[in-house]
Amino acid sequence: MRSLLLVSLAVACAAPKAPATAQAAETQQAGPGPVDQVTLVFSASVAGQIVPCGCAPDQRGGLPRAVALMQSLRRSDPNLLFVDAGDLLFESPARPPAQMLTQRQLKARTLARGDQMLGAAARAVGARDLALGAPFVSETALGVPLLDAGVAPLPGARATLIADAGPVKVGLFAAGFETDPGATIAARSRGLREQGARLVVLLLHPRGASAFTAAQALLPAARAARVDLVILGRRDDPAADPNAKDPGLPPLLAVEGHGQSLLRVDVHLGDGPPALLPSAADREEEIRGLDARIERFRAQIRSAPQRRDQLEAKVRELEERKRALTAAPAPQPAAGKSWVRASFLPLTGQVGSDKDAQKLVDAYDHQVTELNLAEAQRQPETCPPPAKGERAFLGVTGCVQCHEDAVAFWTQTKHARAYATLVAVEKQYSLDCIRCHVTGWQQPGGVCRIDRTQLGGPGIEGKGVGRRDVQCEDCHGPGSHHVKDAAGAFIQREVPDTACMRCHEAANSPHFDDAKYRPYIVGPGHGQPLAKGEKAHPRPGGPAHE
């Protein structure tokens, strides 16, 4: 019986199959392009993110959007290549916890299948790809050439690759994690030039705490090696690190992770190394910066009117700079010289969604449910008891006995509907989501089985059944010791914003602002006194993602 279960799980963990029509090779291609122009599109540090969690209405990213955009670009842009700069498969270089292992394996296989659908010419292998070791990376290549960035020995990975973008030979290689990355960069770039590469691109995975800064430190070595373009494959925080450019020679470009955007680089080959031209977005960003400075000076005028003359002169100076910048023609490349122009393409709902890629995602979600419910059957019904002196969760039914007004307030907040939001999108059995939609996940008195969230109490008015929803103890801490102490000790009365950010993190709640969100969960009856005859009630409205 055990061997049958293992075989079943192995079959289930294979990436869902998508229809053959989803293959990028079958997408209608643009006609032949110029012999001196190429368009490169990059992703980087997708880090285990197939689609956004859906907690906020305007989250960017997702495989179906990426595939739809690439298909559109291929129809309109000749000489186009898509390259995955690495750190695709897992959110961390560390091995996933045992309970998460099966789902993370399935997710990684699905992402690898996604690279196929995107028509990846190559994929760099970063530290986040190696969480389950080199054999798993090789197994999930699925025909996409793997480029060795020096993180670990990888059977089948290549040092370099020549990819044809129409008539243009593009040399691709990864590096950065070696003991002497400069030597690797020099040798691989030289080898690509000897093979006839007209454009040499480095997918960089540097060591160090700050990847962008570490990458900048390697630019002199890349310049000496005649590298034309450096793409940063490793982001420190894929969810939060912004798009970035260093316009040096060679240009260094970094696209935000978690698949929130793609990086498009249009290259014109002429004489000399390609220089990075400012884009329209660069100008808009500079104008926004000037507007922000103007508004700060105007605020200072209101708060310090005695400095009006001095500050108004500053405002006039900045406004003149803004007018000049707005009126100036876009910079043009020097005649006959090589140049590149980079633009970041956000994956919003406006780019559309590919049906076959969505089928792949839906199949993944379905398999996750089956796998996690099967795994749950092998786990104990309840969490282990608390150790001596350790606090345990009681659930909202334990709080209401003394805090009736606060619980009445809570039932009207979005926290009390957290579990229902998972059910609405059929993700209540996803281990990626569950911890932020129940109380006491994997803790004494909480819930440790994904199919037993309803155990632990009847809840209040249909809210907080068992350990479902974001209940009182999620913010204030386990209450087992608190209920035994009449002085109100052993509980966290004041909740710091760091407690909120365990779930309202950049990936799930990109617009979280404690000062704006907190007023909707603190009010009369909860954190504020009730007037005589007043009933507990939160402020109406609130952010879309509380």
Side-chain angles (χ1 to χ4, degrees):
M1 179 66 182
R2 176 175 172 79
S3 61
L4 178 60
L5 176 60
L6 291 174
V7 170
S8 299
L9 288 176
V11 172
C13 282
K17 295 293 189 296
T21 55
Q23 296 293 333
E26 298 187 17
T27 301
Q28 181 180 354
Q29 304 286 314
V35 297
D36 58 355
Q37 295 180 27
V38 61
T39 297
L40 307 177
V41 181
F42 299 92
S43 65
S45 285
V46 171
Q49 183 91 327
I50 299 177
V51 292
C53 70
C55 294
D58 58 349
Q59 287 175 289
R60 290 172 289 113
L63 178 62
R65 293 176 182 174
V67 173
L69 179 57
M70 285 306 304
Q71 289 179 342
S72 175
L73 293 176
R74 283 195 166 91
R75 286 191 291 268
S76 61
D77 294 271
N79 302 359
L80 184 143
L81 285 180
F82 173 77
V83 179
D84 185 334
D87 272 358
L88 169 72
L89 299 180
F90 299 98
E91 66 180 66
S92 165
R95 184 179 178 84
Q99 188 183 33
M100 299 288 293
L101 182 59
T102 303
Q103 180 170 336
R104 294 286 166 81
Q105 282 181 317
L106 177 61
K107 183 186 284 190
R109 294 181 189 277
T110 303
L111 285 164
R113 180 71 184 87
D115 256 13
Q116 269 190 324
M117 298 178 75
L118 288 162
R123 167 157 57 96
V125 178
R128 288 186 177 94
D129 295 308
L130 288 156
L132 291 183
F136 184 83
V137 179
S138 299
E139 178 188 340
T140 54
L142 303 181
V144 176
L146 302 178
L147 298 176
D148 173 25
V151 179
L154 184 63
R158 307 183 187 198
T160 63
L161 175 72
I162 294 285
D164 293 326
V168 181
K169 291 188 177 296
V170 179
L172 301 169
F173 75 101
F177 222 81
E178 301 85 359
T179 305
D180 185 356
T184 301
I185 291 170
R188 292 181 177 177
S189 180
R190 181 173 60 252
L192 286 167
R193 293 292 183 189
E194 291 170 352
Q195 295 175 62
R198 293 187 63 195
L199 181 73
V200 174
V201 180
L202 164 59
L203 310 175
L204 189 57
H205 285 256
R207 296 175 181 265
S210 173
F212 195 81
T213 302
Q216 288 176 310
L218 288 171
L219 289 181
R223 180 165 56 250
R226 296 178 60 211
V227 170
D228 295 308
L229 186 63
V230 178
I231 306 298
L232 186 60
R234 177 176 74 85
R235 306 310 308 268
D236 302 314
D237 185 341
D241 286 355
N243 297 319
K245 299 178 182 180
D246 183 326
L249 285 177
L252 167 64
L253 303 171
V255 63
E256 59 185 345
H258 275 189
Q260 297 174 85
S261 294
L262 296 179
L263 165 63
R264 173 178 176 148
V265 184
D266 293 292
V267 184
H268 180 96
L269 296 170
D271 295 331
L276 181 65
L277 295 183
S279 66
D282 294 330
R283 178 182 295 201
E284 291 169 4
E285 183 177 353
E286 188 173 354
I287 290 173
R288 284 195 297 270
L290 290 172
D291 284 336
R293 293 179 64 189
I294 289 169
E295 183 53 40
R296 283 198 297 271
F297 280 126
R298 285 175 174 161
Q300 290 179 38
I301 291 172
R302 292 190 292 269
S303 61
Q306 69 275 15
R307 299 179 57 204
R308 176 180 296 275
D309 291 345
Q310 176 191 6
L311 295 172
E312 284 184 343
K314 290 287 187 183
V315 169
R316 288 193 297 271
E317 176 188 340
L318 292 174
E319 287 178 335
E320 180 56 36
R321 286 175 57 186
K322 177 182 174 181
R323 282 192 293 269
L325 182 62
T326 303
Q332 297 300 316
K337 297 294 184 181
S338 298
W339 54 268
V340 299
R341 182 172 277 124
S343 53
F344 299 103
L345 311 177
L347 293 179
T348 66
Q350 294 179 342
V351 305
S353 178
D354 179 73
K355 292 182 179 179
D356 290 324
Q358 186 59 54
K359 288 179 183 178
L360 182 69
V361 174
D362 293 342
Y364 163 79
D365 286 338
H366 179 72
Q367 290 189 23
V368 162
T369 295
E370 292 183 340
L371 287 169
N372 287 340
L373 287 176
E375 292 274 348
Q377 298 299 315
R378 305 166 60 192
Q379 299 167 5
E381 284 282 322
T382 60
C383 294
K388 184 177 180 179
E390 185 179 12
R391 294 183 295 164
F393 287 82
L394 301 175
V396 68
T397 50
C399 304
V400 70
Q401 300 172 32
C402 298
H403 302 283
E404 186 175 354
D405 289 335
V407 170
F409 181 104
W410 169 80
T411 61
Q412 302 171 66
T413 68
K414 294 180 181 178
H415 280 166
R417 302 193 294 275
Y419 190 79
T421 63
L422 282 188
V423 176
V425 293
E426 300 182 352
K427 290 186 182 291
Q428 69 269 35
Y429 300 119
S430 171
L431 293 171
D432 284 335
C433 303
I434 191 67
R435 68 178 179 88
C436 289
H437 295 258
V438 298
T439 297
W441 178 247
Q442 296 292 306
Q443 298 179 65
V447 56
C448 288
R449 270 183 59 162
I450 205 164
D451 61 341
R452 293 293 186 267
T453 57
Q454 77 280 12
L455 300 182
I460 309 295
E461 301 175 4
K463 312 292 196 308
V465 174
R467 296 296 180 264
R468 292 175 177 175
D469 302 318
V470 179
Q471 301 180 20
C472 313
E473 293 166 293
D474 248 353
C475 302
H476 297 285
S480 60
H481 288 17
H482 172 62
V483 297
K484 300 175 184 178
D485 186 277
F490 305 108
I491 205 73
Q492 184 171 254
R493 290 177 178 271
E494 299 296 327
V495 181
D497 60 357
T498 51
C500 310
M501 291 165 68
R502 290 175 302 186
C503 288
H504 289 278
E505 56 190 350
N508 303 328
S509 186
H511 306 300
F512 177 71
D513 182 334
D514 184 69
K516 294 179 180 178
Y517 281 43
R518 191 173 292 252
Y520 295 96
I521 59 168
V522 175
H526 181 232
Q528 296 177 6
L530 286 170
K532 186 176 181 180
E534 185 181 19
K535 292 185 177 180
H537 63 90
R539 178 188 296 188
H545 175 200
E546 185 174 316

